Amino acid sequence: MLRKVFSIVIIANVFLLSGCGDEDVKKCLALSNDESKSLLAEDFCEIAANKGDPQAQKLFAEILLKRAKRKQAIEFLQAAANQKNGEAMYRLAELYESDKQKEQFYFQQSCDAGILKGCEKVNELNNQAKQELNKIKEELERERAIIEAKFVAAEQAKQKAEQKWSEEQQARLKAERLLQEAEEKIRLAEERVNEEKRTKAEIAKQENQLKQSTLPVPLNGFKITQTELRQTFSDFVAEIERSNFSYLALETWVKNCYANSSLKKGCFYFDVLASITDQVLSFENKSRKTHSFFNTLHVRNRAFQNIADLQDIPVVQFDATFQQLSTDLMNNFHLFEEMQKVRKNRLAQKADPNLQKFEQNGLWGFTDQFGNVLIRPEYLAVGGFYNGRAVVKSNYNQMWGFIDTQGNWVVKPQFCMAGRFSEGLAGVYQNGYWQGDKCVGGKWGYLNTTGNWVINPIFEKAERFKNGKAKVTYKGIIGYIDKMGNWINMTNN
């Protein structure tokens, strides 16, 4: 009975006090510290909390938590936190212990509001995060070491397989070349027999003349010099490069040379050289018709038809001179090989536009302008070559780095993101990691083409250099910097 009377008195007091305005807040604060008056304090705190007082909202939320009314309590705590009540922020952080992002947020808010224990919690959570990050890094480093070991083993196995394949290819090519040489010798022998039958009388006469001399009689005006040899080889290399090793193009070149050139002697050297090269080098896709063009008989006949000075030379004497000229060219054939090497090196060192990206089995590499593979396809993604460097994504650690035109690493793959070089500098995102569809946790800076830092990584955003300046964002400030990292202008946008 007394309890009912006491309740009635309390309710009556509530109605009597509801018009007291700020007195509700004072009563809430005063009565909350007395456990025996907690019931009365609850009513005053609820009234004051609904009126928007942050302290009353926090105290009333505590009362609701004791009654297991978590959702309502959080609403009052959030209302108090919105009014910069540090204790309410701290209490919210405790309630969101299972949600690390919200927990970190409210502890930081309480710390910013001057709650020291909130700052301690922020430091504690940061230390925990650092420890977890260090564990992840250690685990990644162990995995990287394992992957690198597997990669080395795979590379060694690959090299052995490539060496074995190369040896097999060389053996096959050697067998094919020997077979071709044998077939060519048979064909030339058959043609020579037929030719000798048609000129039997003349050959017999010339053979008697040749028996009187141990050396072939050189043709007047056809003594070859080193200068002429080099010029002949140089013209030949140039024509091969222009025609892309097409024998049909070489045949046309020879015929045009005889028809139009005043230096018939040079055409003859080129003609003989083409015949020799046909025998000692292996070219692809040679048809029988084209192949038959380059042999001693056809060269001799073309020379007879196109060089008037040779029309009265006996066949046997001409053949002897042809063989002597062939010997001179063969003895100096190393000049041709050296010029070929120079040409290949020149092609390999071409400027950036001659390196083309290509994809094979999901990986990317580069070819030259002729389609020859210069850099093997072993990257997940690649950019074009700029300033002699290409940004590529490693297939082994999924990070970005830079290579030169020979495929050598200039900057090893270590960046979450990286841009191409422009005006000698490239932006890279250091110490970042992928989260969702973007890189976070790092900063942008700029490297030069040797991989050294020119502008330290301090920017949230960094664009490519153009006309000596780049647009960047630093601590929310947007502006432009020069290539030394100095501000040109900035805004607070």
Side-chain angles (χ1 to χ4, degrees):
M1 177 65 72
L2 290 174
R3 184 172 182 179
K4 290 182 179 180
V5 172
F6 183 68
S7 299
I8 293 171
V9 171
I10 291 174
I11 293 171
N13 286 334
V14 169
F15 283 109
L16 289 173
L17 294 171
S18 61
C20 295
D22 293 339
E23 291 297 322
D24 295 324
V25 177
K26 296 178 181 178
K27 293 291 185 180
C28 172
L29 297 177
L31 295 174
S32 294
N33 295 323
D34 190 341
E35 185 67 28
S36 63
K37 299 178 181 180
S38 59
L39 185 61
L40 184 60
E42 177 181 346
D43 294 324
F44 282 108
C45 289
E46 181 178 7
I47 294 170
N50 286 326
K51 290 180 178 180
D53 182 76
Q55 290 180 299
Q57 288 171 337
K58 195 270 180 185
L59 291 173
F60 185 60
E62 295 290 352
I63 293 171
L64 291 173
L65 287 171
K66 290 179 181 179
R67 295 190 173 188
K69 296 182 178 181
R70 177 184 173 90
K71 183 177 179 181
Q72 293 175 328
I74 288 176
E75 291 176 355
F76 279 101
L77 285 173
Q78 287 177 336
N82 290 337
Q83 299 184 64
K84 308 300 181 181
N85 187 290
E87 290 293 340
M89 297 172 182
Y90 185 88
R91 192 69 176 101
L92 277 171
E94 291 181 326
L95 292 177
Y96 282 118
E97 182 179 7
S98 60
D99 188 334
K100 293 300 180 183
Q101 186 173 1
K102 289 184 178 180
E103 180 187 30
Q104 177 79 25
F105 173 78
Y106 283 113
F107 275 139
Q108 184 63 56
Q109 290 290 311
S110 69
C111 176
D112 295 341
I115 305 300
L116 294 180
K117 59 183 179 179
C119 297
E120 293 173 356
K121 281 291 186 178
V122 169
N123 291 334
E124 181 182 337
L125 291 175
N126 287 338
N127 290 334
Q128 290 176 358
K130 289 179 180 179
Q131 292 174 359
E132 292 176 358
L133 181 60
N134 289 334
K135 289 181 181 179
I136 293 172
K137 288 182 177 179
E138 290 173 359
E139 182 63 26
L140 289 175
E141 186 63 27
R142 286 193 293 270
E143 291 179 358
R144 184 187 66 79
I146 294 172
I147 291 172
E148 286 184 351
K150 291 181 178 179
F151 170 70
V152 171
E155 280 293 304
Q156 292 174 347
K158 180 180 178 182
Q159 289 175 0
K160 290 181 179 179
E162 288 178 347
Q163 182 179 359
K164 183 178 179 181
W165 180 85
S166 178
E167 291 173 352
E168 292 175 350
Q169 286 292 101
Q170 290 176 1
R172 182 181 64 81
L173 291 174
K174 182 178 180 180
E176 290 179 353
R177 187 177 70 252
L178 292 174
L179 179 60
Q180 290 176 354
E181 290 176 353
E183 292 176 347
E184 181 68 8
K185 288 179 180 179
I186 294 173
R187 187 183 64 79
L188 291 174
E190 291 176 349
E191 290 185 355
R192 180 56 65 88
V193 169
N194 293 332
E195 179 67 18
E196 289 177 352
K197 287 180 179 180
R198 289 192 296 268
T199 59
K200 184 176 181 180
E202 186 178 356
I203 291 174
K205 179 181 178 181
Q206 296 301 326
E207 283 179 348
N208 291 331
Q209 295 176 353
L210 288 174
K211 288 179 181 179
Q212 299 175 7
S213 176
T214 57
L215 295 175
V217 180
L219 296 176
N220 294 331
F222 278 83
K223 182 175 177 61
I224 196 165
T225 66
Q226 282 290 320
T227 301
E228 292 168 333
L229 273 174
R230 286 184 174 274
Q231 185 60 47
T232 301
F233 281 121
S234 177
D235 291 343
F236 192 44
V237 169
E239 183 60 25
I240 287 177
E241 182 175 345
R242 187 195 68 77
S243 61
N244 198 22
F245 297 94
S246 168
Y247 265 86
L248 288 173
L250 291 176
E251 179 178 1
T252 301
W253 193 94
V254 171
K255 289 182 176 179
N256 290 339
C257 182
Y258 279 130
N260 302 317
S261 176
S262 61
L263 299 175
K264 305 298 184 181
K265 180 178 177 181
C267 301
F268 181 52
Y269 290 152
F270 189 90
D271 209 351
V272 175
L273 181 59
S275 177
I276 296 170
T277 308
D278 182 50
Q279 300 175 44
V280 299
L281 295 181
S282 175
F283 292 89
E284 296 180 357
N285 301 323
K286 292 190 300 182
S287 68
R288 186 171 183 82
K289 178 180 179 181
T290 304
H291 185 69
S292 64
F293 174 82
F294 294 98
N295 60 72
T296 304
L297 179 61
H298 284 210
V299 171
R300 184 188 65 190
N301 289 340
R302 278 199 305 276
F304 275 175
Q305 293 170 6
N306 293 286
I307 303 180
D309 293 343
L310 300 180
Q311 290 180 352
D312 298 329
I313 300 295
V315 174
V316 175
Q317 185 180 1
F318 183 90
D319 286 346
T321 304
F322 180 91
Q323 293 301 324
Q324 184 63 49
L325 180 58
S326 298
T327 301
D328 290 340
L329 289 169
M330 283 299 296
N331 288 340
N332 291 276
F333 202 75
H334 63 279
L335 296 175
F336 173 77
E337 295 172 342
E338 290 173 2
M339 292 178 183
Q340 283 286 76
K341 289 179 181 178
V342 170
R343 170 183 172 272
K344 291 180 179 178
N345 290 335
R346 186 173 68 252
L347 290 178
Q349 296 172 1
K350 288 269 186 178
D352 296 355
N354 291 319
L355 277 79
Q356 306 295 326
K357 298 183 288 185
F358 79 102
E359 185 266 343
Q360 186 179 78
N361 298 327
L363 297 177
W364 290 83
F366 293 88
T367 66
D368 63 15
Q369 60 182 343
F370 301 107
N372 301 312
V373 176
L374 296 182
I375 301 175
R376 293 183 300 176
E378 55 185 15
Y379 307 104
L380 287 177
V382 297
F385 272 91
Y386 295 88
N387 301 146
R389 304 288 184 263
V391 58
V392 299
K393 188 174 185 180
S394 170
N395 186 31
Y396 304 107
N397 65 0
Q398 287 76 52
M399 303 295 279
W400 290 87
F402 296 90
I403 60 172
D404 60 20
T405 55
Q406 304 300 313
N408 302 312
W409 286 109
V410 177
V411 180
K412 291 186 177 180
Q414 56 188 285
F415 302 110
C416 178
M417 292 180 67
R420 70 169 177 82
F421 273 94
S422 176
E423 299 185 5
L425 296 178
V428 295
Y429 194 74
Q430 189 183 38
N431 296 330
Y433 58 92
W434 276 103
Q435 185 177 80
D437 59 349
K438 63 181 180 179
C439 279
V440 297
K443 298 289 185 182
W444 285 91
Y446 292 90
L447 298 176
N448 61 19
T449 55
T450 60
N452 295 318
W453 288 105
V454 175
I455 302 174
N456 291 328
I458 60 173
F459 305 107
E460 290 91 51
K461 294 182 180 180
E463 297 184 7
R464 190 177 302 136
F465 270 92
K466 184 177 181 180
N467 298 325
K469 63 182 181 179
K471 186 178 182 181
V472 297
T473 302
Y474 174 70
K475 293 185 177 180
I477 298 174
I478 301 173
Y480 289 86
I481 59 172
D482 62 20
K483 295 173 73 173
M484 299 300 293
N486 302 313
W487 287 103
I488 298 174
N489 57 63
M490 64 181 74
T491 67
N492 289 322
N493 295 334

